[in-house]
Amino acid sequence: MDQTVPDDGTRPDLHELAGAHGVLTEYHRFGGGTAQVPDTTLVAVLGALGVDASGPQQVAHGLRRVRDEEWRSVLPPTVVARQGHETLLPVHVSDGASVHVWLELDGAEPAARRHAVRPRRDLQQSGDYVPPREVDGRVVGRATFVVPADVPLGWHTLYALSEGQESSTTLVVTPDRLDLPPGLERGQAWGVLAQLYSVRSRTSWGIGDLADLADLAWLTAHRAGADFVAVNPLSAAEPVTPMTPSPYLPTSRRYGNPIYVRVEDILETAYLSAADRSLVEWAADPVRDLDGNGGPIDRDAVWEAKKAALEVVYSAPRRAARQAAFEDFVATEGAGLQDFATWCAIVEELGGRPWPTELADPASPAVAAARERLAERIDFYVWLQWVFDEQKAGAQRTAVDAGMRLGIVHDLAVGVHPDGADAWAHADVLARGVGVGAPPDMYNQQGQNWSQPPWNPRALARAGYAPYRDMLRTALRHTGALRVDHILGLFRLWWVPEGADPTQGAYVRYDHDALVGILALEAQRAGAVVIGEDLGVFEPWVREYLADRGVLGTSVFWFEKDGGRPRAPQDYRRLTLATVGTHDMPPTAGYLAGEHVDLRERLGLLTEDAQALRGQARSERNAAVAVLAEQGLVGDNPSEREVVEALHRYLRRSEAALVGVQLVDAVGERRSQNQPGTDTEYPNWKVPLGDSAGNVVLVEDLFDNARLRSLFAAVGAGR
């Protein structure tokens, strides 16, 4: 942040350069008005994009480069098309030279799967004329070709041959629209939203796991008629302690956290020798009693215990079919899994020491030597992902077999830990020197910096979007739906330079047609629904675009306003997941009591007068009770419990395709799971599921909770 461009007449050039690279120079301020992005921020953000804007000469050079950038390459870095629509393809060659362009399909068609030769189609040139341009001393012409509307969905390759030189690029054909599954096109489904780590049973190891998830799905389907269970991201954390508690700051978005594996459910555990079984039991002893402990969840103790037990099970022999299944999984995941496991093994070996410079590049000789030296530990971390994947699949199978129309809804975080596995493996497509965050809003008035390195949009396109695609494929496997946290980040992200206040950031635009289209393509292939968390500051057309692509949005009762009043049920968006609150707010009982103000005041997070905010909170509650009364859902002086149930019945009267009930609301919990803007000041992501008195509620006891039975009955009764 120490580089500036002096205001000597070059400021308009800096703004033009920023705009050319998708960096917005202003934004709408919370509370009204437009804010200008400081020049220092623009320089830092452009630097993170690989563009030197540190002085007038550098800005002028950058402008010359960017104006001719697309003319320097024969083919675009990646072409993303929508099925059913023709796409124009610009091809740049020496002016007057002939060019032949063709397409090779990726094998998505049945005939391609039967033959090794990929189907090929020649493309026709359109009659559009574009004047040639002199670029770097060479006269370059543009020929425009047509990608037909009938090219099938999938990942294809475009080729161009001119003057004896062949060029190629990726063509991705995406669905025009992602349709809802049968039974949900016009109806409504409801389900449960849970923070899985908090949902424990008597056989957990101190943290909720995938076996608990399967049980939760079966119980809520059979006893309450729920159609889905949505959980927090189960993405990978550190392989060693201390483990980052936030599920929204993973080391990898592609791979899972084996802390959620139920050791006893791994098939090989049943065939352990008596001595090895004793080792597993001894490993579990220190954490068994944590299931009933109402204190903060101790991930470090749990992982130390599980890791020791998992190492015993890993060493057990596998039957031939099991070994073959493991090998198939490894082959399917390919180099990405090997890189992730290698990172885990190196982190383990370093034991907390700083990451050596020579290991910064996954393709370096030092990393190659580490792969050989740590081969057995790498295989262990690969195996952990296999057993995680098996149990993830088992939870979805249990949910569907129990009658759920969707099953498990998994969650995808915005980004990854800056020192994690994905940041290491994908350093070439991630921006450095900046973190993803959000400008100030009503609930986070100081802004936010989540510290996660964002995708570099141009580098990602040059990579053919392969890292993004591969991440989505693994995340979507064994899911009924995928919730994408802050889906607005597929359109633009708030980049905060290192060392800067979160208010001193800038929005960077992304190719949303590409990112949303690829998301829809991979979801359709997986048979999954996509739910976008589209809350916060956004441009009005964004929600319309997502709905046009078949991506569900998110509607939260407290945020849905019409003329200052709660929005009427019939006016809710159709393609949305409607809930009363979110995991970043207190449960509904706490929110009704104004806990969202009290907690932020205690933690020093307010920038407005606390008493004024309490008055606003009371007015908000009174307005909610008033509309509930108008709908005949509450009488005079309703109790807290009656209001909570009425709010959910109100949502069931809405047009929303999905309605979610937070499990904390069902049991009467009042404590927040997370308070944005805090780290160690509050036990974020460590609060076990408890009732209104803070007593632990285990999976086996859920339906003994009268409040849960009453709320589920109210929601299950429908409209």
Side-chain angles (χ1 to χ4, degrees), residues 112-168:
R113 291 195 293 267
R114 292 194 297 269
H115 304 286
V117 178
R118 300 173 68 190
R120 169 173 166 162
R121 296 175 64 173
D122 290 335
L123 301 189
Q124 301 301 311
Q125 187 172 351
S126 77
D128 296 347
Y129 173 75
V130 179
R133 181 181 297 190
E134 184 175 333
V135 180
D136 301 331
R138 169 174 166 251
V139 180
V140 178
R142 171 180 287 181
T144 304
F145 286 77
V146 178
V147 178
D150 63 349
V151 176
L153 295 174
W155 295 79
H156 314 293
T157 307
L158 288 165
Y159 293 91
L161 179 64
S162 181
E163 299 181 293
Q165 297 293 316
E166 185 177 280
S167 303
S168 65

Side-chain angles (χ1 to χ4, degrees), residues 214-571:
D215 287 350
L216 178 63
W218 193 93
L219 287 167
T220 54
H222 269 271
R223 296 191 179 180
D227 281 306
F228 62 87
V229 172
V231 293
N232 56 281
L234 307 185
S235 305
E238 296 84 353
V240 296
T241 56
M243 182 177 287
T244 300
S246 173
Y248 291 93
L249 188 60
T251 62
S252 172
R253 290 195 291 172
R254 181 175 180 181
Y255 293 108
N257 189 344
I259 199 172
Y260 292 111
V261 166
R262 176 66 65 89
V263 178
E264 293 89 341
D265 283 2
I266 303 171
L267 184 61
E268 283 71 31
T269 305
Y271 299 98
L272 292 175
S273 66
D276 284 344
R277 179 169 288 279
S278 295
L279 292 176
V280 171
E281 292 296 327
W282 292 338
D285 282 346
V287 294
R288 287 288 193 198
D289 292 340
L290 295 180
D291 294 326
N293 189 318
I297 290 171
D298 190 345
R299 284 175 173 79
D300 293 345
V302 172
W303 179 232
E304 294 287 0
K306 279 199 176 181
K307 188 177 181 181
L310 287 164
E311 287 172 340
V312 174
V313 181
Y314 164 72
S315 300
R318 294 183 281 275
R319 299 200 307 262
R322 291 275 292 167
Q323 181 62 27
F326 174 46
E327 291 169 0
D328 286 349
F329 174 80
V330 173
T332 298
E333 290 300 303
L337 178 57
Q338 294 298 324
D339 284 345
F340 170 76
T342 298
W343 178 85
C344 291
I346 292 174
V347 168
E348 182 182 63
E349 183 182 54
L350 289 173
R353 298 191 304 276
W355 195 275
T357 304
E358 62 270 19
L359 295 177
D361 181 0
S364 69
V367 171
R371 292 182 198 269
E372 184 174 347
R373 182 177 69 255
L374 300 172
E376 185 172 349
R377 293 307 290 172
I378 291 171
D379 191 64
F380 170 66
Y381 285 108
V382 166
W383 174 82
L384 286 179
Q385 290 306 308
W386 178 55
V387 296
F388 176 92
D389 188 78
E390 279 199 320
Q391 294 191 8
K392 179 184 175 185
Q396 173 65 3
R397 188 166 52 250
T398 297
V400 173
D401 289 348
M404 286 188 162
R405 283 186 278 176
L406 282 179
I408 309 302
V409 179
H410 286 278
D411 202 342
L412 184 68
V414 178
V416 295
H417 196 292
D419 298 320
D422 284 1
W424 177 70
H426 300 309
D428 56 335
V429 293
L430 293 173
R432 293 297 185 173
V434 291
V436 172
D441 60 27
M442 180 173 136
Y443 292 94
N444 302 284
Q445 297 174 9
Q446 299 173 358
Q448 299 178 72
N449 184 353
W450 306 320
S451 78
Q452 300 156 327
W455 294 117
N456 180 324
R458 297 197 176 198
L460 191 59
R462 289 193 296 269
Y465 292 97
Y468 177 65
R469 173 202 64 200
D470 294 343
M471 178 267 294
L472 288 175
R473 283 183 179 173
T474 303
L476 282 160
R477 195 164 54 227
H478 317 311
T479 64
L482 183 69
R483 176 190 178 273
V484 180
D485 193 44
H486 195 61
I487 199 168
L488 304 178
L490 303 185
F491 296 79
R492 65 181 190 181
L493 273 175
W494 183 255
W495 288 22
V496 182
E498 280 185 0
D501 188 88
T503 61
Q504 302 296 299
Y507 279 113
V508 176
R509 288 197 183 279
Y510 287 80
D511 185 344
H512 61 272
D513 280 324
L515 295 177
V516 175
I518 292 168
L519 173 61
L521 171 62
E522 296 305 323
Q524 180 162 314
R525 286 182 157 186
V529 171
V530 175
I531 303 165
E533 188 267 290
D534 56 357
L535 305 175
V537 180
F538 59 89
E539 296 161 297
W541 61 270
V542 167
R543 282 183 166 176
E544 295 176 8
Y545 176 88
L546 288 170
D548 181 60
R549 301 303 297 266
V551 175
L552 276 66
T554 301
S555 295
V556 176
F557 173 85
W558 300 113
F559 304 158
E560 292 290 328
K561 300 292 176 68
D562 187 2
R565 285 169 50 84
R567 190 179 306 281
Q570 65 269 20
D571 293 334

Side-chain angles (χ1 to χ4, degrees), residues 693-710:
N695 299 313
V696 170
V697 178
L698 299 177
V699 172
E700 296 92 338
D701 304 325
L702 281 173
F703 282 85
D704 294 332
N705 184 291
R707 188 158 178 161
L708 178 143
R709 293 197 308 271
S710 181

